[in-house]
Amino acid sequence: MTQLSLSSRETLLEDPPLARFAGLLGEPAAAQALIRLDRELDWQRPTLRLYGREHPIPRHQVWMGSPEARYRYSGRDFCPEAWHPEVTAIRDAVVERLADAGQAAGFNSVLLNRYADGEERMGWHCDDEPELGVDPLIAAVSLGAERPLRFRWKRRDAAAFNAWLPHDSLLLMGPGVQRRLQHALLPRRIEGLRISLTFRWVHPLSASGRPG
């Protein structure tokens, strides 16, 4: 398990760019953000259709952002809830940290996932929906219990690896990550609440349901 010093940056991959930052909000702000998001958001557990059957997702989530940031996933349309002030503050901290690192970024939406413990999970996937455009930049903030995000190469031409995500850390998945790798939050014997926020830019949908 990798321990990061406050405000440090670690490059996990050069190509495609994958980097981890520590100390995004600092304490006590990070702990207070975890408590506030847990208590104040309208956490939902939607069902997704897989192989012809409806299954509740193994976690709770909230889709949030600007009104035009509609998102389609596994055959369902998600309309964003309005920005919560705490989430807006975290988004601004992400943009500032990336700017300090020389990376310009803007985000009009965020998917928040709430994992009550290590048994709740996210399966293998890549964030490559058409609404995200070609080679999107995605920034993922972790609050609460530290867990590893598992990565594997789509071509299976290199070994899979873990990116441990400590409390108050930021993971930057740059252009090419979604095209070349998949990631998953696999079950672990880890106690404690974890909330993740994955910030992204969603291109508005046209009347035909395609990015306009």
Side-chain angles (χ1 to χ4, degrees):
M1 188 178 302
T2 303
Q3 299 295 326
L4 298 179
S5 62
L6 189 65
S7 300
S8 68
R9 170 180 179 169
E10 181 180 2
T11 298
L12 304 179
L13 289 175
E14 293 282 357
D15 181 26
L18 184 67
R20 179 174 50 190
F21 302 78
L24 175 68
L25 303 177
E27 294 293 3
Q32 293 170 348
L34 177 66
I35 294 170
R36 189 175 181 191
L37 295 180
D38 184 37
R39 291 177 178 176
E40 297 182 10
L41 297 191
D42 180 21
W43 294 103
Q44 304 148 21
R45 195 177 185 187
T47 59
L48 298 178
R49 179 171 290 276
L50 297 172
Y51 306 110
R53 299 182 62 184
E54 296 286 339
H55 300 270
I57 63 172
R59 60 194 174 277
H60 287 81
Q61 70 177 35
V62 176
W63 177 246
M64 185 178 295
S66 303
E68 72 277 6
R70 292 180 293 144
Y71 194 55
R72 188 167 182 82
Y73 177 72
S74 292
R76 289 195 54 176
D77 290 319
F78 292 91
C79 295
E81 295 191 6
W83 288 102
H84 184 283
E86 188 69 43
V87 179
T88 300
I90 296 172
R91 180 199 63 194
D92 293 347
V94 170
V95 171
E96 182 178 356
R97 176 63 64 89
L98 294 181
D100 289 344
Q103 175 66 65
F107 305 103
N108 67 352
S109 52
V110 59
L111 178 63
L112 298 103
N113 283 296
R114 181 189 186 277
Y115 304 91
D117 53 35
E119 293 301 314
E120 298 199 334
R121 64 198 185 277
M122 172 83 76
W124 287 107
H125 70 288
C126 52
D127 299 311
D128 60 355
E129 288 75 19
E131 297 93 323
L132 300 180
V134 178
D135 284 342
L137 183 149
I138 295 178
V141 176
S142 294
L143 299 172
E146 181 177 10
R147 289 181 65 175
L149 193 64
R150 184 74 171 170
F151 284 88
R152 68 183 183 189
W153 298 88
K154 290 183 180 180
R155 295 179 61 180
R156 306 294 195 272
D157 52 355
F161 60 94
N162 287 333
W164 281 90
L165 304 176
H167 172 61
D168 197 24
S169 64
L170 166 64
L171 183 71
L172 174 64
M173 294 183 279
V177 170
Q178 308 305 319
R179 174 167 44 88
R180 297 173 60 185
L181 295 107
Q182 293 178 314
H183 55 278
L185 192 76
L186 302 177
R188 286 259 181 168
R189 292 183 178 178
I190 294 176
E191 296 181 356
L193 171 69
R194 175 179 181 266
I195 292 177
S196 70
L197 306 90
T198 52
F199 293 92
R200 58 198 73 193
W201 184 272
V202 170
H203 298 272
L205 295 176
S206 66
S208 66
R210 297 181 179 277

